[in-house]
C-alpha cells in the first residue's frame, strides 16, 4: 500500500472525495479499504439497516469489483446488472418488484451495481436513498458527460435533495471524456463541475504531478449554507403597503403641480424609481441577509437621502416622500425586531429568528475558520452595492471578528451609490498596505483593474454567466491562495449556475486559443488576449471604475419582479371560507323561537307530488333569500321550488328534541349512514343515534321538517313522532333482540298467515303497502315498498353476488347473525331512497349554438340505478309512518339548501358592503354570480360581470382623474390610471376587504353536503397547518406549484385559490353593483373597497367652464354642421371644438387639443359598448364576450365609423403626414368592398379613432356625465355593432347567415379527443338531417371545419348557399322583427324535458302580447331544430268597417290581414293553417303562430301548460 493511498483513505473518511486513480485492481482495493472502514463504523449502530453501494458503469466492472470486494471483506455482498438473474425467482433484475428488492436489500451489506439499475430502483421507490451510507462511484467522470447520465440523475434527484446524505467516494482515471476538448482549462471546468455534482473535493498530493497540473489553483472550496426558513411575509406586506402609500402620494403631488413645468414628469419619475429602488433594496436584504441587515440597509438609505433631497430644490416636498417612506420602513423593521425575541445573543438563535440569514451566518463561520491571524487579507465579492455596505456595517458589530479591519469598495458611475474615484483609490491603497484586511466589494475588479494580492477570496453571491462577471473570479483565483464559493445547500439551480460559469469561462479561453494559436501553452497568454481592449486604461495604472453591469445593480428590475404573482393565475394562495353567520343557533334541546320559511315543490309532471317542508332557523333571512324561487333538474323532469316566509314559530323542548330525531334518522339514513363502525374496524358497529357522537354544532343549526299538506302551514308531528319511535325501536332491539322475538311469537298461527310481519308491527295482507316507507333494522337504510314478491321467501335460494349462502335466511344468519322468525314470509321488493345528486344544473339540455354548453353524466346515473333495488323479508323492516312524498322531497333538499346557503353567504357579503343603507339594493343573485367562479359548474359565473366591472372601474378612475387634475396631460393621467386598475392593485383591495372568504370556487358536491344532525360520509381533515378558519396572509400559504389543485376544501374550509380569482372577483362585484344599482351603487362599492373616486358635479362645471372659454365663433358653421351629423347639439360648443382639435393644431389654436378628452372618451366608449354587449348577449360564454368586446372597442373600429359617417372632414389638424394618411385611408375605404374584413388590412390613421373617442368624452361632459344620453348618440354612430356570428370564422359565419335566411337552425356539440377538438354540426332541412364533423386544435377551428363540410353538402344538394339578394319567395317569421324577437325569447320559457325527438316538449306559457306567439314558436323550432315555418299574408280591403280581433285588441277598420303558416316537421308532415284576420300584418302572424301551437298540442307534438 502506497503512502498516497493511505492518505487518500484517511481523507475520504473525513470528507467526500474524488480520487484520481489509475485503472486496474489497485483502485478497487482503495474502495475496499473505505468499505471496511465504513462497515466498522456501522457496527456501532446495528439496529438501523444501512447499505454500501458500489456503482460502476459496465457489467464487466461490476463483476470485477464484486470479486475483489467479496474476497477482501467479510461482508455480505452481491452484484447486479441489467439482464442478470441472481435470485431464486429467476427473474431478471429489470423485472424485479418491490418484494424482491426488499429481500435483496435485507440480505446484503454491499451491493455492486450498474448505475441504471440503481437509478430505476430509487425512482421506483424500491430502495430508499436514506438507507445508503456510502456511495462509491467508479468512473465518476461520467456524471458530467451529459446532463442526464444516470450518475448525474442519481445525484441531482436523490443525493442533493436528501437530508441524510451518504458519504461519497468517486474514482476516475481521466477527465477527458469529451472528444476534442483537452485543454487544461477545460479539464479544470470539468473537475469543478464534477466536484459540485458529487458534492466532493478532488484529492491531490504533491507527488502526483499530473493531478497537480490539472488543477491550477488548488484552493477552490465550496461553502454550503442552509436554505432560509424564515420568510417575514407579514413584514414584507407592511413594507409593500407603505411603499404603495407613498407612491400614491408622489403621484398625487405630481398631478397637482402646474403642467407648464416641463421637467415635472421626469423628476417625479426619478423619485418614484428611487422609492421603488429603496424598497427593493430593503426587501432584498430581508431575503438574503436577514432582518438586522435590512435595518442597517434602511439606515444607509436614510443617510444617503439628504443629499438627494438637497439636489431636488423646488421638488423638496416630493423628495421628502422618499425619506418618509424610509423612516416608516425603519420603524416597521424596528417593531418587528422588538416584537420578536428581545434577548437573542446567540447567533444560532438569531438565524432561527430570521435576524440574520443562514448565508450570512455561514460567512461568519468562514471568517472564524481563518483563526485570529492578523495577516489574513480577504476580499468578499457581493453582487450588489447595498450588500457590500451592509456587510461592512454588520461586521463592525461582531465582537468575535474584531481582528478584521473592514472596508467596502463599490462603484457604479451611473448610480447614486457610486463611490468617488478618489475614495476608491484610497480604499484599495489601504488594503494593499494592510491597514484594511477585509474588503467587501462589488464586481469592481473587472478587466483592466489590478486585483490586489490577498490570501482569501470569498464569492458571497454567484455572478451571472456573463464573461464580464466571471472574469474577476478567475483573476481572484489566480492571485489568491484560497477561494470560496458560497452555495445554498441542495440548490441544484445554483450548482448548475456555477458549472455554467466555469464552462463559459473556458469557452472564452478556447476561443482565445483559436485567435492566437501560438499562445496555447500558458494560461497567462489567454489573459492578455482577452483583456486587450481594456489595456489602454490599465496602462494609466489608475483604478478606474468600470461600469457595473446595470442588471447586477440591486436597484434594477430583477429583484423588483418578486414579490410577484399577486393577482396572477400562476400564484395560488390558501384561503379560508367565511362561515355563514345566519346558520348559527344558540338553541339546544330546550326549545327556541325560530323564523319559519315554507318550502314548496311543484313538478312539471302533474302527477308527481312532493311534500312541503319548513326551514326553521334562529336568524331572519334576507327578503330575497326568503322569497327564493328556483328550479331543480331531475333526470326527466324538473321541480320548481319556492321559499316563503311564515313569520316566527316557537318550538318547545320536546318538539326540538323530536325535530332532531327526524333529521338524524332521515338525513343519515338516506345520505349518510345510520350504523357506524364495523366488525372489521376498531370502532364497534353502532347505531348512530345511540352513540354519544356530537351531531349538532351551534355554528350550523337549522331544522328541515315536513309539513302536513301543501296548502296549510302545519308541521307534520305525526310523521316526526314515527321517526322518534323508529329510533327508539332500533335502540331497544339492537340491545335485546331475544326479548323482541318472544313478543312477536305470541301471535297465533291462524292470525299469522293473514298478516305481513314487519319488525315493529304486523299488517293485514289486504292492506296496500305500496310506497310504504321502511327502515331496515340491520343496515339502517331507508326504502319504500314497491311490491310483495309472491314467489320468493327467505328460504328461496340466495342469488346474490356471493354464492356461499344456501338461502336468504342463511345469508342473514351468517352475515348479520339474524335468525329469521318468519322465513316463510314473502319477501318485499324495495326501492332505496336516492343518494343526493347535484340537481342545480340542467344536465339534459344539449348545447345550442352560442348557448351554454354543459355535459352531464347520465350514464353514471343509469348505472347507479341498479343498486337502488333490494329484496328483503318484512320482519327486518321497521315501518315509518311517513309519506313517500316526504322522502322524495328529502332528495331535493341538499341541492336546494346548497343554493340557499350560497345565497345567505352572498347576502352576508352584501350586508358587509352596504350595511343598512336602504337606497342601494343589489339583487342577491348578482352578488352570488359575482362570487361564483366557472369551476363551480353553475349556470352562472363571474366572468361576464368581471368584464363589465373592469370597464366600470376604468371609467370611474378616468373620470375622477380627468376632473381632479385639470392641468395634467393625458400621458400622465394614463400612467396613473394604468397603475390604479392593474390586477395587483385590485387584488390588494380585495384582500384588504377579506373578499377571499366569500369566493365560491368548487362545484357543489352532494356527498360532502350535510344537514345539521348528519355525520359526513367522508372527511377531509385539514393538513394545511392552519388552526383558524381564516388563513393568515403569509407567503408560506402562497405557491406557484402547478401540482397544487385549487378549489377543493378541507373540513376547515381552507382551499387553494388562484390569486387572480381575487382580483377578478373585485371586478365582478363592481360589475354586479353597476348592473344592479347603476353608477351610484358601483361608486359606493368602489369606496368600500378603498378606491377613492368622486365624480363631483362642481368639478364637471369647472371643466365645462374652461372649455366654454375656447373661441369658437369663427368655426360656428363647421361645428353646427358636425352637430347635425352627430344628431346632438352641444350646449358648450368649446367642448366640441376641443374634441376635434388635433395636437398638431394646438399651437395655432388656443393651446388646447383633444388628447385629454380622448383619455376620458376612451373609457366612456369602453364602458358603453361593454354594457351594451352585456345586456344584449346574455347567453354567450365569457370567451366570446371578450372577443366581442375587443372587436368592438378598438381604434380601428372607431376610425372606420368616423369615415363611414363622414366625420373625418371636421378634424382640425396641421400635420403633413396626416394630410396624406387620411386621404389615403379614405381612398382605400372607397375602393375596397364593404366587407369589413378587407378594411382590417389597412391601418387607419390613429387620429380618426381618437377623434371619435374625444367626441364621446366631450359629450359626456356636455351632458354632465349622462352616460345614457351619450349612448343614444353613439349607438347609432357606431352601428352596426358586432354580433357573435360575425366573430366566427368565415365558413361558420356563412353557414349561420345561410340558416338565418332560410329559417334553419344549426346545433353543435363539441368533444375533445386528446389534443384535438371534434365539432359536430347538425342541420335539419325540411327533408333531411345533415351532419358534418370537423377537427381542430380549438373549438373555433373545429367548428369552422365542420361548417365547411356542411356548406359543401348543401351545395351538392343543389340548394343555393349564396344568398343572392333577398329571396323573396316567402317570409320567415324570424326575419320579421329581429329586435322584438330577441327581446321576447329571453322572456319566454320553453322547457323541453328531453332533446330526443320522441319526447314531447313542454311550453310553460304563451305570451299573448304582440310578438309573443311568434317568439314561442321560434323558440320551439330552435329547440326542436325544425325549420322555421313560412308565413304569407294577404290583405283584404273592405268598403264597410269590419270588426277584427278579440278582447283588448278588438277594433274596427277597413283593412285586415290574414296569414297562412306552413310548418315542416321533419320525418312527420307539413302542417298548414290560416290565422284569423287582424288589423295589421304582424298581429295576423301572431294569430297564425298561436293556432299552430295549439294544433301541435292537438297532434301530441307539444304540451302547453
Ligand atoms: Zn385546512
Amino acid at each position: 500500500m502506497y503512502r498516497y493511498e493511505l492518505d487518500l483513505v484517511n481523507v475520504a473518511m473525513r470528507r467526500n472525495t474524488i480520487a484520481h486513480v489509475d485503472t486496474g485492481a489497485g483502485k478497487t482495493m482503495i474502495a475496499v479499504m473505505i468499505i471496511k472502514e465504513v462497515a466498522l463504523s456501522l457496527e456501532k449502530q446495528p439496529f438501523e439497516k444501512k447499505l454500501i453501494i458500489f456503482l460502476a458503469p459496465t457489467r464487466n466492472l461490476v463483476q470485477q469489483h464484486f470479486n475483489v470486494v467479496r474476497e477482501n471483506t467479510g461482508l455480505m455482498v452481491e452484484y447486479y446488472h441489467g439482464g442478470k438473474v441472481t435470485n431464486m425467482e429467476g427473474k431478471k433484475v429489470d423485472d424485479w418488484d418491490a418484494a424482491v428488492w426488499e429481500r435483496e436489500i435485507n440480505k446484503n451489506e454491499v451491493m455492486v451495481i450498474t448505475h441504471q439499475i440503481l437509478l430505476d430502483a430509487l425512482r421506483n421507490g424500491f430502495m430508499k436513498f436514506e438507507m445508503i451510507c456510502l456511495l462509491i462511484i467508479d468512473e465518476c467522470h461520467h456524471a458530467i458527460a451529459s446532463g442526464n447520465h444516470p450518475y448525474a440523475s442519481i445525484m441531482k434527484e436523490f443525493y442533493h435533495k436528501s437530508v441524510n446524505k451518504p458519504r461519497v467516494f468517486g474514482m476516475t482515471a481521466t477527465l477527458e471524456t469529451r472528444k476534442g476538448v483537452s485543454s487544461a482549462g477545460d479539464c479544470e471546468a470539468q473537475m469543478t463541475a464534477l466536484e459540485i455534482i458529487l458534492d466532493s473535493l478532488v484529492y491531490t498530493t504533491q507527488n502526483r504531478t499530473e493531478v497537480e497540473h490539472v488543477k491550477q489553483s488548488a484552493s477552490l472550496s465550496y461553502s454550503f449554507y442552509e436554505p432560509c426558513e424564515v420568510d417575514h411575509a407579514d413584514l414584507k406586506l407592511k413594507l409593500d403597503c407603505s411603499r404603495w402609500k407613498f407612491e400614491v402620494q408622489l403621484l398625487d403631488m405630481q398631478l397637482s403641480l402646474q403642467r407648464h413645468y416641463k421637467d415635472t414628469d421626469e423628476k417625479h419619475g426619478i423619485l418614484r424609481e428611487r422609492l421603488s429602488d429603496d424598497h427593493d433594496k430593503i426587501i432584498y436584504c430581508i431575503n438574503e441577509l436577514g432582518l438586522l441587515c435590512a435595518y442597517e440597509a434602511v439606515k444607509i438609505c436614510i443617510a444617503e437621502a439628504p443629499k438627494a433631497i438637497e439636489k431636488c430644490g423646488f421638488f423638496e416636498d416630493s423628495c421628502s416622500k422618499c425619506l418618509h417612506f424610509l423612516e416608516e420602513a425603519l420603524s416597521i423593521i424596528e417593531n418587528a425586531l422588538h416584537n420578536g425575541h428581545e434577548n437573542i445573543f446567540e447567533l444560532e438563535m438569531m438565524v432561527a429568528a430570521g435576524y440574520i440569514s443562514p448565508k450570512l451566518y455561514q460567512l461568519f463561520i468562514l471568517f472564524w475558520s481563518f483563526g485570529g491571524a492578523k495577516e489574513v487579507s480577504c476580499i468578499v465579492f457581493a453582487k450588489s452595492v447595498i450588500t457590500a455596505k451592509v456587510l461592512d456595517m454588520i461586521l463592525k458589530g461582531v465582537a468575535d471578528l474584531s481582528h478584521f479591519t473592514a472596508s467596502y469598495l463599490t462603484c457604479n458611475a451611473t448610480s447614486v451609490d457610486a463611490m468617488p474615484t478618489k475614495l476608491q483609490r484610497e480604499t484599495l491603497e489601504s488594503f494593499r498596505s494592510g491597514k484594511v484586511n477585509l474588503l467587501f466589494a462589488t464586481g469592481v475588479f473587472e478587466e483592466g483593474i489590478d486585483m490586489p494580492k490577498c490570501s482569501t477570496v470569498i464569492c458571497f453571491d454567484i455572478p451571472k454567466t456573463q464573461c464580464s462577471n466571471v472574469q474577476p473570479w478567475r483573476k481572484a483565483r489566480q492571485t489568491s491562495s484560497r477561494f470560496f464559493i458560497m452555495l445554498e445547500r441542495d440548490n441544484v439551480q445554483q450548482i448548475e449556475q456555477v458549472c455554467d460559469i466555469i464552462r463559459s469561462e473556458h469557452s472564452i479561453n478556447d476561443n482565445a486559443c483559436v485567435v492566437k494559436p501560438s499562445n496555447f501553452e500558458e494560461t497567462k497568454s489567454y489573459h492578455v488576449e482577452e483583456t486587450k481592449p481594456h489595456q489602454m486604461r490599465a496602462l494609466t495604472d489608475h483604478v478606474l471604475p468600470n461600469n457595473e453591469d446595470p442588471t447586477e445593480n440591486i436597484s434594477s428590475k430583477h429583484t423588483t419582479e418578486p414579490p410577484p404573482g399577486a393577482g396572477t393565475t400562476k400564484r395560488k394562495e390558501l384561503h379560508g371560507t367565511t362561515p355563514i353567520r345566519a346558520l348559527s343557533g344558540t338553541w339546544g334541546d330546550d326549545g327556541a323561537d325560530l323564523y319559519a320559511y315554507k318550502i314548496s315543490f311543484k313538478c312539471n309532471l302533474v302527477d308527481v307530488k312532493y311534500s312541503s317542508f319548513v326551514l326553521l332557523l334562529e336568524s331572519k333571512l334576507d327578503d330575497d333569500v326568503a322569497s327564493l324561487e328556483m328550479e331543480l333538474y331531475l333526470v326527466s323532469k324538473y321541480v320548481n321550488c319556492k321559499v316563503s316566509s311564515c313569520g316566527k314559530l316557537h318550538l318547545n323542548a320536546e318538539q326540538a328534541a323530536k325535530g332532531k330525531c327526524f333529521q338524524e334518522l332521515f338525513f343519515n339514513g338516506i345520505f349518510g349512514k345510520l350504523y357506524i363502525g364495523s366488525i372489521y374496524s376498531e370502532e364497534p358497529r353502532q347505531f348512530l343515534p345511540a352513540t354519544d357522537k356530537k351531531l349538532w354544532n351551534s355554528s350550523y343549526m337549522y331544522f328541515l321538517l315536513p309539513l302536513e299538506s301543501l296548502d296549510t302551514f302545519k308541521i307534520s308531528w305525526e310523521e316526526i313522532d314515527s321517526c322518534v319511535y323508529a329510533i327508539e325501536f332500533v335502540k331497544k332491539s339492537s340491545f335485546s333482540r331475544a326479548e323482541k322475538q318472544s313478543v312477536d311469537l305470541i301471535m297465533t298461527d291462524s292470525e299469522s298467515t293473514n298478516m305481513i310481519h314487519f319488525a315493529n308491527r304486523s299488517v293485514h295482507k289486504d292492506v296496500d303497502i305500496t310506497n310504504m316507507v321502511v327502515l331496515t333494522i340491520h343496515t339502517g337504510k331507508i326504502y319504500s315498498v314497491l311490491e310483495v314478491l309472491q314467489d320468493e321467501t327467505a328460504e328461496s335460494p340466495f342469488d346474490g353476488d356471493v354464492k356461499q349462502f344456501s338461502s336468504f335466511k342463511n345469508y342473514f344468519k351468517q352475515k348479520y347473525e339474524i335468525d329469521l322468525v318468519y322465513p316463510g314470509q314473502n319477501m318485499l321488493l324495495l326501492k332505496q331512497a336516492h343518494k343526493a345528486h347535484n340537481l342545480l344544473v340542467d344536465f339534459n339540455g344539449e348545447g345550442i349554438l352560442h348557448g351554454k354548453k354543459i355535459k352531464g353524466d347520465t350514464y353514471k346515473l343509469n348505472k347507479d340505478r341498479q343498486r337502488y333495488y333490494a329484496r328483503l323479508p318484512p320482519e327486518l323492516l321497521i315501518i315509518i309512518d311517513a309519506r313517500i312524498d316526504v322522502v322524495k322531497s328529502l332528495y331535493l333538499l341538499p341541492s336546494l339548501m346548497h343554493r340557499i346557503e350560497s345565497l345567505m353567504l352572498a347576502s352576508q357579503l352584501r350586508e358587509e358592503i352596504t350595511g343598512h343603507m336602504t337606497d342601494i339594493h343589489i339583487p342577491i343573485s348578482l352578488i352570488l354570480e359575482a362570487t361564483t367562479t366557472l369551476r363551480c359548474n353553475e349556470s352562472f359565473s363571474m366572468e361576464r360581470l368581471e368584464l363589465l366591472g373592469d370597464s366600470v372601474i376604468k371609467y370611474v378612475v378616468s373620470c375622477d382623474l380627468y376632473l381632479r387634475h385639470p392641468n395634467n396631460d393625458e400621458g400622465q393621467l394614463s400612467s396613473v390610471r394604468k397603475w390604479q386598475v392593474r390586477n395587483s392593485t385590485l387584488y390588494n383591495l380585495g384582500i384588504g376587504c377579506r373578499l377571499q372568504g366569500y369566493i365560491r370556487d368548487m362545484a357543489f358536491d352532494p356527498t360532502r353536503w350535510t344537514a345539521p344532525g348528519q355525520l359526513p360520509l367522508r372527511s377531509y381533515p385539514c393538513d394545511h397547518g392552519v388552526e383558524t378558519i381564516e388563513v393568515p396572509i403569509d407567503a408560506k400559504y402562497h405557491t406557484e406549484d402547478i401540482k397544487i389543485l385549487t378549489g377543493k376544501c378541507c373540513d376547515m374550509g381552507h382551499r387553494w385559490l388562484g390569486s387572480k380569482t381575487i382580483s377578478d372577483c373585485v371586478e365582478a362585484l363592481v360589475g354586479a353593483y353597476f348592473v344592479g344599482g347603476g353608477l351610484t351603487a358601483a361608486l359606493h362599492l368602489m369606496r368600500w373597497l378603498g378606491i377613492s373616486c368622486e365624480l363631483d358635479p362642481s368639478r364637471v362645471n369647472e371643466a365645462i367652464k374652461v372649455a366654454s372659454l375656447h373661441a369658437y365663433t369663427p368655426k360656428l358653421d363647421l361645428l353646427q354642421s358636425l352637430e347635425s351629423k352627430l344628431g346632438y347639439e352641444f350646449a358648450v360648443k368649446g367642448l366640441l371644438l376641443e374634441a376635434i382639435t388635433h395636437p398638431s393644431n394646438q399651437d395655432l389654436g388656443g393651446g388646447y387639443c383633444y388628447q385629454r378628452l380622448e383619455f376620458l372618451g376612451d373609457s366612456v366608449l369602453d364602458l358603453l359598448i361593454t354594457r351594451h354587449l352585456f345586456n344584449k348577449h346574455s347567453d354567450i360564454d365569457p370567451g366570446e364576450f371578450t372577443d366581442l368586446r375587443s372587436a368592438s372597442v378598438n381604434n380601428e373600429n372607431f376610425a372606420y365609423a368616423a369615415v363611414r359617417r363622414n366625420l373625418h372632414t371636421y378634424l382640425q389638424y396641421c400635420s403633413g403626414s396626416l394630410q396624406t394618411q387620411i386621404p389615403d385611408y379614405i381612398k382605400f375605404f372607397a375602393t375596397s368592398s364593404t366587407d369589413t374584413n378587407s378594411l382590417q388590412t389597412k391601418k387607419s390613421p390613429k387620429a380618426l379613432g381618437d377623434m371619435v373617442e374625444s367626441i364621446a368624452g366631450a359629450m359626456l361632459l356636455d351632458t354632465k356625465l349622462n352616460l345614457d344620453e351619450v349612448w343614444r348618440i353613439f349607438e347609432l354612430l357606431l352601428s352596426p355593432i358586432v354580433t357573435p356570428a360575425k366573430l366566427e370564422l368565415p365558413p361558420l359565419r356563412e353557414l349561420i347567415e345561410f340558416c338565418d335566411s332560410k329559417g334553419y337552425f344549426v346545433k353543435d356539440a363539441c368533444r375533445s379527443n386528446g389534443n384535438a377538438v371534434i365539432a359536430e354540426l347538425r342541420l335539419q332541412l325540411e327533408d333531411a338531417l345533415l351532419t358534418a364533423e370537423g377537427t381542430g386544435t380549438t373549438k373555433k377551428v373545429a367548428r369552422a371545419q365542420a361548417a365547411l363540410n356542411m356548406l359543401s353538402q348543401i351545395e351538392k344538394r343543389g340548394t343555393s348557399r349564396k344568398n343572392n339578394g333577398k329571396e323573396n319567395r316567402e317570409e320567415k317569421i324570424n326575419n320579421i322583427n329581429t329586435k322584438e324577437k330577441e327581446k321576447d325569447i329571453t322572456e319566454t320559457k320553453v322547457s323541453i324535458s328531453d332533446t330526443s325527438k320522441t319526447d314531447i316538449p313542454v311550453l310553460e306559457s304563451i305570451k299573448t302580447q304582440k310578438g309573443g306567439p311568434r317568439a314561442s314558436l321560434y323558440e320551439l323550432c330552435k329547440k326542436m331544430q325544425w325549420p322555421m315555418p313560412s308565413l304569407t299574408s294577404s290583405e283584404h280591403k273592405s268598403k264597410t268597417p269590419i270588426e277584427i280581433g278579440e278582447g283588448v285588441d278588438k277594433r274596427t277598420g277597413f283593412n285586415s290581414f290574414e296569414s297562412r303558416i306552413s310548418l315542416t316537421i321533419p320525418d312527420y308532415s307539413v302542417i298548414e293553417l290560416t290565422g284569423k284576420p287582424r288589423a295589421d300584418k304582424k298581429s295576423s302572424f301572431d294569430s297564425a303562430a298561436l293556432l299552430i301551437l295549439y294544433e301541435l298540442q292537438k297532434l301530441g307534438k307539444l304540451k302547453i301548460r
Side-chain angles (χ1 to χ4, degrees), residues 443-507:
V444 65
F445 298 108
E446 294 195 5
E447 299 95 295
I449 296 156
D450 273 354
M451 170 81 195
K453 286 265 182 251
C454 63
S455 61
T456 309
V457 168
I458 299 171
C459 269
F460 188 70
D461 295 311
I462 308 169
K464 278 192 182 168
T465 320
Q466 271 174 5
C467 64
S468 60
N469 297 317
V470 173
Q471 278 157 8
W473 276 43
R474 197 174 63 256
K475 257 173 259 161
R477 286 169 62 178
Q478 286 159 356
T479 50
S480 60
S481 52
R482 276 185 297 181
F483 191 86
F484 291 94
I485 297 172
M486 298 190 62
L487 291 173
E488 189 178 88
R489 192 174 299 286
D490 307 332
N491 187 328
V492 181
Q493 220 179 339
Q494 283 193 1
I495 291 167
E496 273 169 6
Q497 229 172 318
V498 172
C499 290
D500 278 352
I501 287 168
I502 287 164
R503 264 183 222 121
S504 78
E505 179 184 344
H506 286 288
S507 74

Side-chain angles (χ1 to χ4, degrees), residues 574-575 1020-1026 1028 1031 1049-1055:
L574 189 70
H575 290 299
Y1020 297 86
C1022 176
D1023 58 357
H1024 300 114
V1026 184
T1028 50
V1031 180
C1049 281
C1050 72
D1051 286 341
M1052 298 272 288
H1054 309 135
R1055 69 267 164 84

Side-chain angles (χ1 to χ4, degrees), residues 1366-1403:
K1366 283 274 173 256
E1367 279 182 84
N1368 224 353
R1369 57 179 180 116
E1370 282 169 338
E1371 215 167 345
K1372 298 276 185 183
I1373 59 167
N1374 58 330
N1375 287 342
I1376 296 169
N1377 186 335
T1378 325
K1379 201 151 187 182
E1380 194 170 89
K1381 182 185 81 193
E1382 286 186 10
K1383 198 168 145 262
D1384 279 349
I1385 286 161
T1386 52
E1387 290 168 5
T1388 313
K1389 172 90 197 170
V1390 176
S1391 164
I1392 290 156
S1393 55
D1394 198 343
T1395 40
S1396 82
K1397 302 218 168 145
T1398 50
D1399 278 10
I1400 300 163
V1402 175
L1403 188 61

Side-chain angles (χ1 to χ4, degrees), residues 1120-1138:
Q1120 278 169 346
S1121 150
L1122 175 56
E1123 279 178 341
S1124 71
K1125 278 237 158 65
L1126 294 171
Y1128 176 83
E1129 198 180 320
F1130 275 80
V1132 183
K1133 309 278 183 224
L1135 279 170
L1136 182 59
L1137 184 60
E1138 187 174 323

Side-chain angles (χ1 to χ4, degrees), residues 886-954:
V886 171
V887 177
K888 272 159 54 192
S889 293
L890 278 161
Y891 174 59
L892 306 174
L893 288 175
S895 297
L896 177 67
M897 283 312 297
H898 171 77
R899 174 59 52 81
I900 291 179
E901 286 169 17
S902 306
L903 285 170
M904 285 165 87
L905 189 64
S907 130
Q908 192 170 317
L909 174 61
R910 182 173 65 183
E911 202 184 307
E912 294 265 318
I913 297 169
T914 31
H916 295 288
M917 278 176 70
T918 45
D919 52 336
I920 297 175
H921 194 79
I922 310 300
I924 200 73
S925 55
L926 278 171
I927 312 256
L928 185 66
E929 188 172 332
T931 50
T932 301
T933 65
L934 205 57
R935 195 197 307 281
C936 294
N937 226 340
E938 302 253 20
S939 53
F940 49 84
S941 67
M942 61 168 75
E943 281 77 7
R944 298 177 72 253
L945 286 173
E946 174 202 330
L947 283 165
L948 182 61
D950 172 58
S951 297
V952 174
I953 295 174
K954 186 175 159 193

Side-chain angles (χ1 to χ4, degrees), residues 19-35:
H20 192 268
V21 284
D22 294 322
T23 42
K27 75 169 176 184
T28 320
M29 280 312 293
I30 297 173
V32 164
M33 287 171 67
I34 294 168
I35 290 172

